[in-house]
Amino acid sequence: MQPLARRQFLGRSATGFLGAASAWVMPWAVAANAATGMCDESIDPGKADLIYRSRAPRNGEPPLDKLVESWITPTPQFYIRSHGPNPQISDDFRVSIEGLVERPQEFTVQQLLEKFPASSCTCTVGCAGLRRYEFNKMKKVGGVQWEEGPIGNAVWSGIRLSDVLKHVGLKAGAKHVWFDGADAVPEGDHTIPFGGSVPLSKMQDEDKKMPGVLLATHINGQPLPPDHGFPIRTVVPGYIGARSVKWLQKIVVSEASSPNHYVADAYKMVQTGAAIEWDEAPPIYRYIVNAALCSAEHKDGEIHLKGFALPSGYKDCSITRVEISTDSGKSWSNATLGKEAANFCWQLWTATVTITNPESDICVRATDSLGNLMPETVPWNPKGYLYNAWHRVSAKSI
């Protein structure tokens, strides 16, 4: 294996995952007792091979060759994104549902699992700051300096938010659903919970296989690890990872989107950073088409490439083409798409190339079924969100 620039191909080999059904019948109390009390100072041994961009709070992404070994991302290779320390989870942890509902209630996680039908889905969760480091080539940008790894595709299990909302009943005027996490994120001289928000109409994306929003208690057939939101989190198919709130403790139904900092002020696309622009910009919801080259192996005089491609986050949108250029974008050839594909999921791809000019760049671009094509360049933005220009890797580096 020849390394690409800016990364080390390190880490354990990918492992298989247990089927969701086998862990779903595990008594919740057993899993809860095993994880209760885990806090930020306890490093999950299964995540020791992540490349940490920060340790407090923990933010790590996997080595890229490990990322694309499997369509389902093994939990130890799934990226971690936290804005503050992991919260202490008590034995009596509860989730409240309030706001524009007929019957405000609160439940323990065990009560939720017993009262509502089990549901599961496979979907990709990725950070809005994916490939943020590339913005720094244009102009300095703050935030976690993510490369191509803060993304993963997993089997999530839990219950549907829509079932819970039907149970509590919605009042007139209900248009948005807020999510507050149990984490305390430092903000100036005080702390705030990390929060998310989705339009109530997101539930219209639902079908028998895919929930609009899942209240997830399991990943890849096992209870959520503390770093991934134990005991319960939201998973919002098609939306950026910031809307999938970990350590979920409060659900609020409202007529407007959440006033939480991470909805009202952060995770917006702006160009100048002027106050009026922040106020007028809507929150980022759906992810956009993207792709990356993740590994390169030399064999018999050829180079075998692997990577991922992500379609736009709309129902029934899929990757239709991934193209590779070995001459800095002058000419293109089609990569081979992996056989595994599903709604709101990435697609893996492979290609075999030869390099005739080591001074050139290898470029990758993807097109989805809505006709969205990765552009050659994208304008800089001060938060470093949604970078999806052609992915370029120097031919010399491989």
Side-chain angles (χ1 to χ4, degrees):
M1 183 72 67
Q2 298 296 319
L4 302 182
R6 301 170 281 99
R7 64 184 70 94
Q8 294 175 316
F9 284 146
L10 301 175
R12 304 170 187 153
S13 61
T15 58
F17 64 95
L18 296 179
S22 64
W24 189 253
V25 298
M26 177 189 296
W28 181 255
V30 175
N33 289 337
T36 295
M38 291 288 287
C39 61
D40 197 59
E41 287 72 24
S42 300
I43 298 294
D44 183 346
K47 297 300 178 64
D49 57 351
L50 292 182
I51 302 167
Y52 283 93
R53 304 302 175 196
S54 69
R55 289 276 183 174
R58 277 207 291 281
N59 290 288
E61 57 185 303
L64 290 183
D65 60 332
K66 301 302 180 186
L67 179 64
V68 294
E69 283 186 343
S70 171
W71 187 65
I72 295 295
T73 307
T75 307
Q77 273 79 53
F78 207 100
Y79 80 100
I80 297 172
R81 176 63 173 119
S82 297
H83 290 76
N86 290 7
Q88 293 277 358
I89 302 301
S90 63
D91 291 332
D92 62 349
F93 184 90
R94 293 172 181 270
V95 180
S96 66
I97 301 96
E98 53 194 73
L100 293 178
V101 297
E102 298 289 347
R103 296 170 293 279
Q105 294 185 44
E106 63 177 25
F107 299 91
T108 66
V109 175
Q110 183 67 38
Q111 287 171 336
L112 287 170
L113 295 177
E114 291 174 350
K115 188 171 188 63
F116 299 102
S119 182
S120 66
C121 68
T122 301
C123 72
T124 297
V125 175
C127 185
L130 177 75
R131 301 175 62 194
R132 176 178 282 136
Y133 77 101
E134 299 200 48
F135 279 118
N136 268 321
K137 298 176 182 178
M138 308 178 198
K139 182 180 176 182
K140 185 173 176 58
V141 63
V144 179
Q145 294 303 300
W146 293 118
E147 295 189 2
E148 296 85 0
I151 188 171
N153 195 52
V155 179
W156 307 93
S157 303
I159 62 173
R160 294 180 180 232
L161 174 62
S162 59
D163 288 336
V164 178
L165 296 181
K166 289 175 185 176
H167 174 75
V168 298
L170 298 179
K171 290 184 177 180
K175 292 183 179 179
H176 293 264
V177 186
W178 308 350
F179 309 121
D180 280 357
D183 45 339
V185 183
E187 179 67 21
D189 59 356
H190 62 288
T191 61
I192 59 174
F194 183 83
S197 179
V198 300
L200 188 61
S201 57
K202 181 67 172 78
M203 305 310 129
Q204 295 173 0
D205 271 345
E206 286 200 349
D207 56 32
K208 291 182 179 180
K209 294 183 178 180
M210 186 66 62
V213 177
L214 187 72
L215 306 184
T217 57
H218 290 62
I219 179 174
N220 293 336
Q222 294 293 320
L224 294 168
D227 279 329
H228 290 294
F230 178 88
I232 190 166
R233 65 174 293 169
T234 61
V235 172
V236 187
Y239 279 23
I240 62 169
R243 308 311 171 205
S244 293
V245 175
K246 300 189 290 185
W247 310 295
L248 178 68
Q249 67 174 358
K250 183 188 292 186
I251 298 170
V252 180
V253 179
S254 176
E255 72 283 350
S257 62
S258 172
N260 185 278
H261 167 73
Y262 296 98
V263 179
D265 303 309
Y267 290 99
K268 292 182 173 184
M269 281 291 288
V270 298
Q271 294 300 321
T272 68
I276 185 64
E277 191 180 17
W278 281 110
D279 291 340
E280 292 177 348
I284 301 170
Y285 288 117
R286 299 183 188 272
Y287 45 64
I288 59 176
V289 64
N290 215 327
L293 166 60
C294 296
S295 75
E297 182 179 9
H298 291 255
K299 185 177 181 181
D300 300 329
E302 297 178 317
I303 303 176
H304 300 270
L305 309 177
K306 293 182 180 180
F308 69 80
L310 182 69
S312 305
Y314 291 89
K315 188 176 181 181
D316 297 324
C317 184
S318 60
I319 291 294
T320 55
R321 184 169 65 251
V322 172
E323 297 171 283
I324 311 296
S325 172
T326 59
D327 56 11
S328 302
K330 295 177 183 177
S331 61
W332 298 87
S333 60
N334 289 336
T336 300
L337 299 182
K339 294 181 180 179
E340 294 174 298
N343 247 340
F344 302 118
C345 290
W346 70 3
Q347 192 152 12
L348 303 186
W349 58 264
T350 59
T352 300
V353 301
T354 57
I355 295 176
T356 57
N357 179 9
E359 302 299 322
S360 65
D361 287 339
I362 297 179
C363 301
V364 180
R365 67 184 184 186
T367 305
D368 67 26
S369 57
L370 293 178
N372 298 305
L373 171 67
M374 290 170 61
E376 182 175 359
T377 61
V378 294
W380 181 88
N381 70 79
K383 296 296 286 185
Y385 293 141
L386 303 183
Y387 189 95
N388 75 328
W390 298 352
H391 188 224
R392 293 176 177 268
V393 175
S394 168
K396 281 185 177 179
S397 70
I398 61 173

